[in-house]
Amino acid sequence: MLTRLTLLLLVVLTLEMRIAAQPAQAPTAAQKKVTVVRAGRLIDPETGSAIANAVIVVENDRITQVGPNVTTPPGAEVIDLSKLTVLPGLVDAHTHLGITYKEFPENNIYYLTYVLESTPLRAIQASSNALQMLNSGFTVVRDVGNNALYVDVALRMAIEQGWMPGPTIIPSGPIIGGTGGQFSPTPEMFQQHKIVYPEYIDADTHDEIIKAVRQNLLFGAKVIKICVDCKPWGYSVDDMKLFVAEAAKGGAKVDGHVQTPEGAQRAIDAGIYVISHGRALSPEHHKQMAQKGIYLASTDTPFTPYRGSEAAFQDTVAKLQSAHANKVLLTFSTDMDYWNERMKNDKGEWLTRGDLTINFLQTWRAAKIPAKDILKALTITGYQAADVIRERGPIKPGMFADFIAVPGNPLEDIDAVRNVQFVMKNGQVFKRDGVMTIDKLLHPGPIYGWNRR
Ligand SMILES: [Zn+2]
């Protein structure tokens, strides 16, 4: 006999299944919104070329037509960007929106941030960072760990469901590493597995690796981030091949934090998808990565009044130059996850997370990499590394309408992308005439569907 509770549960479950079966946001003809964007110049970063006076037609969230000879459909809203250059949105291929460690009180020891700041607080910081990134033209962000208990996944869901605008987040969930992860927890921390442990999942054996990957996929990770060589025991080539195979079952790729030459070689031999951090890589590693098609997110910190040293900077520049000369698939990547009182411009105004992120261009300029190659790293290669390029990135029919506009020509002067005047994300205008217009993009509920992941 069914109890009333069981009956109620059945009803709820049936309802949930019906809702889950509905396609997310299927617009009817009556709802169709058509926007026409007139671009003074339209850049294709894939080929490093541009055309003048192009027209982009956007229907709801997708691009339907692009070219110089497109007629304006009747009833369309026209956005005039004829004085600007239009290009795809930018990608930061390695960052952490859910952590900001500081000089005070933690003395830049991000270990302490985990102790001092809760998951909910860091989730709210991540939301603010997401808006700041989109304001600077970043429409895709690979968010690879150090996000407390799945802040990155929650941020993705909030944006996908329509609570707030933001970049497309590619979250990893907690980083998976051998015992201890990237840290050296005290015995007290280790026994309780409460402090610091939201940040890392310990997985030593093959059974533990499979379980850790499945756990992250279950909770919404879109990429699997691992510590290749954070500890002397690190991961072997076989371990990493297992990560790759298990992640593939959930449609995810593997990104490895690498900090030693030996770890780099094992990661290359295992054929992981992205290597994070470039410090340990030699020209020989670069050659092998290019040959195997492994993406590099080298996190190239510039030397600024608020961060870095001249010596470290010169080394970073030389490594980036070697990677470029050896034709590695380069992404623009930062690890921009800290803050201090010196992060201000000449007028004494605070730099945003987006300003601080795009300022990593300094390193690329110092490495004398041609503007068109930098622009490709900032867009196309980033979309490939984020594994979204089949639906997002290039300004072509069928793609999500994510693009930005700047004065000047970034193919000649890459610093033009520091001055983003217009941002469209999923067909919605987020920034216009240099001003964020988010009033119509904040919602009191998940307007695209509560079950979007
Ligand atoms: Zn990082």
Side-chain angles (χ1 to χ4, degrees), residues 94 96 144 146 225 277 299 335 337:
H94 181 126
H96 309 274
V144 284
N146 300 127
K225 175 80 182 296
H277 311 300
T299 63
D335 232 353
D337 53 6

Side-chain angles (χ1 to χ4, degrees), residues 16-78:
E16 282 206 4
M17 281 160 68
R18 279 183 52 201
I19 295 169
Q22 284 172 357
Q25 202 200 11
T28 62
Q31 291 173 310
K32 194 162 89 174
K33 181 179 188 304
V34 182
T35 311
V36 168
V37 176
R38 301 190 171 284
R41 183 190 285 119
L42 176 64
I43 288 181
D44 177 1
E46 174 75 59
T47 56
S49 61
I51 54 171
N53 301 317
V55 173
I56 306 163
V57 180
V58 175
E59 290 186 15
N60 295 325
D61 54 3
R62 304 271 181 159
I63 298 165
T64 54
Q65 293 183 75
V66 184
N69 303 310
V70 174
T71 46
T72 303
E77 184 199 349
V78 178

